[in-house]
């Protein structure tokens, strides 16, 4: 798939032959003094921003409606309390944003992501107007994979996540388009062919790789 981000892993972010790591803080390449590794690109992709909702994102929708109705109730009940009434107005605006505008923000953010897999690493590239953020996970550090998949085989793949049932809340907010929860989770969001990616990883990590559908 043709990448829609400005930075290209092979040419601008990581210089593959010398294993130089791009530092977005300084805009310079820092040389890795370790041995040269085989960093041949084996897979690349990006989120399909056309997918508005995911499996866990649907759990966020009733929460948004609850916020709207609660704010409306408080606006009527607290009409004589200016400070609390103003808070209810803010809550109402937030609830309406969650229902009608956050999906646009999420789709716009997804267009700035690009994913690549080499022989040694998984890489997430996030490009903004002024910065390029690069996150890498060595393949040897992958302990297990969790994934969600639609009927057309598109979906999201999580690496070493979730760890326990408490992470279900993080899954909801990771797909909500709010905050930076998704930036703290190493995941490939809304890729086109989950099966293909998993097969690629099996060939690198081995058949003993733990894989769970969530």
């Amino acid at each position: 798939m043709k990448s829609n981000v400005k930075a290209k892993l092979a040419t601008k972010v990581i210089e593959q032959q010398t294993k130089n790591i791009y530092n977005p803080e300084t805009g310079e390449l820092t040389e890795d003094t370790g041995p040269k590794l085989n960093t041949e690109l084996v897979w690349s992709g990006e989120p399909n921003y056309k997918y508005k909702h995911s499996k866990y994102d649907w759990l966020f929708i009733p929460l948004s409606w609850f916020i709207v109705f609660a704010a409306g109730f408080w606006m009527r009940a607290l009409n004589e309390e200016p400070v609390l009434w103003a808070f209810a107005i803010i809550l109402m605006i937030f609830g309406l944003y969650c229902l009608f505008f956050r999906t646009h923000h999420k789709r716009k953010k997804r267009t700035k992501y690009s994913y690549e897999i080499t022989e040694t690493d998984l890489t997430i590239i996030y490009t903004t107007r002024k910065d390029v953020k690069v996150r890498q996970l060595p393949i040897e550090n992958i302990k297990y994979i969790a994934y969600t998949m639609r009927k057309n085989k598109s979906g999201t793949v999580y690496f070493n996540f979730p760890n326990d049932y408490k992470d279900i809340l993080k899954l909801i907010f990771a797909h909500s388009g709010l905050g930076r929860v998704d930036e703290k989770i190493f995941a490939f969001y809304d890729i086109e062919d989950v099966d293909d990616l998993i097969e690629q990883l099996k060939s690198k990590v081995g058949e003993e790789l733990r894989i769970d559908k969530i």
Side-chain angles (χ1 to χ4, degrees), residues 71-87:
F73 172 78
W74 288 339
M75 287 172 63
R76 292 177 63 88
L78 303 173
N79 192 35
E80 297 181 359
E81 298 290 338
V83 175
L84 296 178
W85 188 82
F87 175 76

Side-chain angles (χ1 to χ4, degrees), residues 36-51:
K36 293 183 179 180
L37 302 174
N38 182 1
T39 53
E40 180 183 355
L41 184 66
V42 297
W43 182 92
S44 65
E46 60 188 24
N48 188 332
Y49 61 87
K50 294 181 180 179
Y51 295 122

Side-chain angles (χ1 to χ4, degrees), residues 6 8 24 33 49 79 102-103 109 114 136 151:
K6 297 178 181 178
K8 292 289 187 176
T33 57
Y49 61 87
N79 192 35
R102 68 179 177 85
T103 53
K109 186 175 183 179
S114 182
Q136 285 191 298
K151 292 182 179 181

Side-chain angles (χ1 to χ4, degrees), residues 87 167-168 187:
F87 175 76
D167 284 336
I168 194 70

